[in-house]
Amino acid sequence: MRACVKVRQIRGLAALMLAVCVLVSCMVGSFVVTTPALATDADRSYASWSAVSKAIDDEFQQGQSEYKNGNNSGAATRFQAAYNSVYVASNMITVVRDTFGQNKVQSQQDQFQQLQTLVYQQNQASQIDSVVTTLQAEIAQTAAQLDANAKLDKPDVYAQKLRAQIKAERKKLDAAKKKNLGRNGRTWSQVAQEMNVILDKSVATYKSAKGNKSQVAAAVDLINEAYYQYYEKLGFEKNVMNAISGSRVSTVEYQFKECRQAMNNGQTIEQAKKFVTDLKAMLIEDSAKLDKGASSNANPFMQFITSSFGQAFVILLREGLEALLVVAAIIAYLIKSGHKNMVKYIYLGLAAGIVASLVVAALFGLLFNGSGPQQEITEGVVALFAMLMLLYTSNWMISRSSVQAWNKYISEQTTAAVSKGSLISLALLSFLAVFREGAETVIFYQAIFAVSNGADSMIWGGFVAAAAVLVVIFLLIRFASVRIPIRPFFTGTSALMSVLVVIFAGGGVHALIEGDALAGMYIQGLPTNDWLGFYPYVETIVAQILAAIVVISLLCVSIVRSRAKRADIKQN
């Protein structure tokens, strides 16, 4: 008995440990050095495209020299500057795309990326020299062709015209003072240009602030407007995630964060402007890829994923799958334990989660125009609370995975019903599983309808198709689980919930970072997987590691306890 009491105490302490550890993980980043964001220089003037090529070559040569001297980070900075500060900031990337096509740009970008990969490896000087020689020759040839095109403006003239266009668009927007009401037939490139006008206005506001806190806050609000009211609300983020990559979304999100932090931390106007310029280049590049994905000659997958049907299908499937897995596992457990009459309470929790999602989405729409840091923080807190509920439930289930433990549990249920506390916990978990993603899903669908340009039937088609897939998955879990023996059923269900604990830990902390509740230490080069809750931040990775450690610790405790019980049975 004393041993069992000690085991129970250990399990209780382990559950408490996870709650404490997640909070600790949020503070670990303060001891970690952040990878600095790359900077660009949009103010540099070039008389010809060959001059741009020469500037890129200068950066290459300095990067090669730094690498040979053993300064890998210095070499990386030079190669990044060649791309961001010259190739992108001079508008060469845009002109090459417009003149020669996306394939040409992609080829050159791949070579720039290859340099970034090689620079952090040892003994790659000859390979770096080879890539630089090939890329520089290609860029020089491209520049010569651009200069030979009499109809094409030179870089300085092109930049002046672009600035004039942006100024005119800013003046038009300021005069109209119009609220963002959706994409309304605009291309993603047009949306990106509108975002860039807002970002330019933010820089101008920050420049005139001169340390005035209220004006600095106004500049930061403009950055948030570009992010929440355009990048998130119009579906820019989800389209990039589906059609390009989750890693790209993380890079852009962190660049938005860098812009806000630069202003909030009182950095110089030059530093803040460099972060914003880099962000603008990313948005223009991604919007061009999305527009290409919507064209008739694009990859079929890109066409599907950027269509109204595809967006509606993927969003509901992605946001609904986690909630479905949790609810289906709980219902299967109740039926398996002979408490089918209690399933209605789980459905009530599910229905309450849907209603709460609609209410919260409406409130965010009224108070924050449909999105904002408050939504991200709310989602993060709910996810972390749901994580703790999942941890409790999964540990509770696995403790009954043995036949002996299950038979003892059944014999103790004299009222043919689960305890009030357990039932409330399961219903609450069902509610949280739905509520966690529900409000965000509603807001995403509002955005899709806003930008659909009359394609409402396609959106409803995507919704129905995704819902049908989710129903099939639910029914498979619901009816197949009844035929599974006790031990595999509870072990499998507990394992599923344990995995979701780790996923929710990463997703919850990431939402807090997006809402600026946490600073966020970005790790450049790591991939992003939204399905697994894996993001390139120190805090999210530490949270997931700690969650995994606690899950494994509780599993070990359950195994020890199970063996101790079997030993007691044999002795008796």
Side-chain angles (χ1 to χ4, degrees):
M1 287 296 293
R2 291 180 179 177
C4 292
V5 170
K6 289 183 178 179
V7 171
R8 292 192 190 99
Q9 291 174 344
I10 293 173
R11 291 170 58 205
L13 288 172
L16 180 61
M17 184 200 314
L18 178 61
V20 175
C21 286
V22 170
L23 294 176
V24 172
S25 72
C26 297
M27 298 183 290
V28 168
S30 61
F31 300 100
V32 182
V33 178
T34 309
T35 300
L38 305 181
T40 60
D41 187 1
D43 296 327
R44 196 181 302 178
S45 178
Y46 302 96
S48 67
W49 296 109
S50 294
V52 175
S53 173
K54 178 62 169 60
I56 293 174
D57 187 41
D58 290 343
E59 297 289 355
F60 281 160
Q61 290 182 24
Q62 294 183 60
Q64 289 172 287
S65 177
E66 294 283 5
Y67 182 84
K68 291 173 182 176
N69 291 333
N71 186 1
N72 296 60
S73 61
T77 299
R78 289 300 181 182
F79 290 144
Q80 290 168 349
Y83 178 76
N84 288 306
S85 298
V86 186
Y87 187 69
V88 173
S90 68
N91 301 304
M92 187 173 188
I93 184 173
T94 305
V95 175
V96 171
R97 181 185 292 112
D98 293 343
T99 306
F100 300 105
Q102 176 63 27
N103 290 338
K104 181 68 132 180
V105 169
Q106 190 63 54
S107 171
Q108 294 175 355
Q109 286 179 322
D110 289 344
Q111 293 176 76
F112 275 111
Q113 184 60 47
Q114 188 177 0
L115 287 175
Q116 289 299 314
T117 302
L118 291 171
V119 77
Y120 287 108
Q121 301 176 16
Q122 299 298 321
N123 303 319
Q124 295 294 330
S126 60
Q127 183 64 20
I128 289 176
D129 291 345
S130 176
V131 175
V132 166
T133 300
T134 302
L135 178 56
Q136 180 53 33
E138 183 177 339
I139 290 177
Q141 182 183 15
T142 302
Q145 291 174 319
L146 293 176
D147 285 333
N149 188 344
K151 297 181 180 180
L152 187 64
D153 291 324
K154 299 303 180 184
D156 51 358
V157 177
Y158 185 93
Q160 289 175 4
K161 289 183 177 179
L162 183 60
R163 284 194 292 268
Q165 178 185 350
I166 293 174
K167 184 177 181 180
E169 290 177 351
R170 182 193 299 123
K171 184 176 180 180
K172 181 179 178 182
L173 286 175
D174 288 343
K177 295 184 183 295
K178 64 181 182 180
K179 186 178 179 181
N180 172 33
L181 299 176
R183 211 172 114 204
N184 293 329
R186 292 168 289 175
T187 65
W188 288 113
S189 293
Q190 290 172 326
V191 171
Q193 288 289 351
E194 291 178 19
M195 294 172 67
N196 286 350
V197 169
I198 296 173
L199 293 172
D200 285 336
K201 186 175 181 180
S202 173
V203 172
T205 303
Y206 183 69
K207 183 177 181 180
S208 63
K210 296 181 179 180
N212 183 284
K213 291 184 178 180
S214 62
Q215 291 187 31
V216 170
V220 173
D221 286 342
L222 288 168
I223 298 291
N224 284 333
E225 179 184 349
Y227 179 76
Y228 290 110
Q229 301 303 322
Y230 285 80
Y231 194 66
E232 273 205 347
K233 186 176 181 180
L234 293 188
F236 204 144
E237 174 193 27
K238 286 297 179 183
N239 275 275
V240 171
M241 181 177 294
N242 295 331
I244 301 177
S245 71
S247 298
R248 180 60 171 182
V249 170
S250 291
T251 301
V252 174
E253 285 180 343
Y254 184 68
Q255 196 66 23
F256 270 108
K257 194 175 187 70
E258 286 280 64
C259 294
R260 294 193 297 266
Q261 288 181 341
M263 295 178 182
N264 283 326
N265 294 338
Q267 295 187 22
T268 65
I269 181 61
E270 290 76 15
Q271 291 172 317
K273 186 176 181 179
K274 287 175 182 178
F275 286 130
V276 172
T277 303
D278 210 24
L279 174 59
K280 290 164 57 181
M282 293 177 183
L283 295 173
I284 291 174
E285 181 180 340
D286 290 351
S287 64
K289 290 182 180 179
L290 293 181
D291 286 338
K292 183 176 183 293
S295 64
S296 58
N297 61 346
N299 181 293
F301 175 74
M302 286 280 285
Q303 290 186 47
F304 170 76
I305 218 70
T306 56
S307 67
S308 297
F309 181 95
Q311 292 177 56
F313 178 84
V314 172
I315 285 175
L316 182 60
L317 186 65
R318 162 67 187 88
E319 305 296 337
L321 187 58
E322 285 179 6
L324 178 143
L325 292 175
V326 174
V327 173
I330 295 172
I331 291 175
Y333 152 70
L334 288 174
I335 294 174
K336 193 79 174 176
S337 63
H339 301 303
K340 189 174 182 180
N341 60 317
M342 298 296 175
V343 171
K344 60 185 178 182
Y345 295 106
I346 307 305
Y347 285 127
L348 285 175
L350 185 152
I354 294 175
V355 172
S357 298
L358 293 172
V359 172
V360 170
L363 287 176
F364 277 123
L366 292 173
L367 299 177
F368 311 115
N369 197 20
S371 187
Q374 296 83 1
Q375 176 198 329
E376 303 292 350
I377 294 173
T378 300
E379 181 183 340
V381 172
V382 171
L384 292 177
F385 187 67
M387 173 200 69
L388 294 175
M389 295 293 298
L390 277 170
L391 180 68
Y392 167 80
T393 304
S394 65
N395 185 58
W396 185 86
M397 285 186 174
I398 202 169
S399 68
R400 289 160 175 76
S401 61
S402 68
V403 175
Q404 294 88 347
W406 179 249
N407 289 335
K408 181 181 178 182
Y409 171 72
I410 290 297
S411 66
E412 292 174 351
Q413 303 306 302
T414 56
T415 61
V418 293
S419 67
K420 182 179 180 181
S422 297
L423 184 60
I424 292 175
S425 297
L426 295 176
L428 179 60
L429 181 56
S430 172
F431 168 83
L432 290 173
V434 175
F435 178 66
R436 173 179 177 258
E437 300 290 356
E440 186 177 21
T441 302
V442 173
I443 291 173
F444 284 148
Y445 266 83
Q446 289 175 341
I448 298 175
F449 276 108
V451 304
S452 64
N453 199 27
D456 291 4
S457 61
M458 297 297 292
I459 298 174
W460 285 115
F463 175 86
V464 171
V469 173
L470 292 174
V471 168
V472 170
I473 295 174
F474 173 80
L475 293 176
L476 287 175
I477 297 175
R478 159 70 176 79
F479 291 104
S481 61
V482 178
R483 303 178 183 275
I484 301 175
I486 294 296
R487 186 177 181 83
F489 169 76
F490 280 105
T491 301
T493 304
S494 179
L496 170 63
M497 290 190 172
S498 297
V499 171
L500 289 175
V501 165
V502 178
I503 293 174
F504 280 27
V509 174
H510 177 252
L512 295 179
I513 292 174
E514 280 193 305
D516 280 341
L518 295 176
M521 299 295 134
Y522 184 73
I523 305 176
Q524 192 174 16
L526 282 186
T528 296
N529 191 311
D530 200 48
W531 294 86
L532 298 179
F534 185 84
Y535 304 93
Y537 289 92
V538 171
E539 291 84 355
T540 59
I541 295 173
V542 171
Q544 288 195 311
I545 291 174
L546 292 175
I549 290 174
V550 173
V551 166
I552 294 171
S553 299
L554 290 175
L555 175 61
C556 292
V557 170
S558 295
I559 292 174
V560 170
R561 185 179 183 185
S562 178
R563 289 178 178 176
K565 285 185 176 181
R566 286 199 297 268
D568 290 341
I569 292 173
K570 289 181 180 180
Q571 290 177 0
N572 297 331

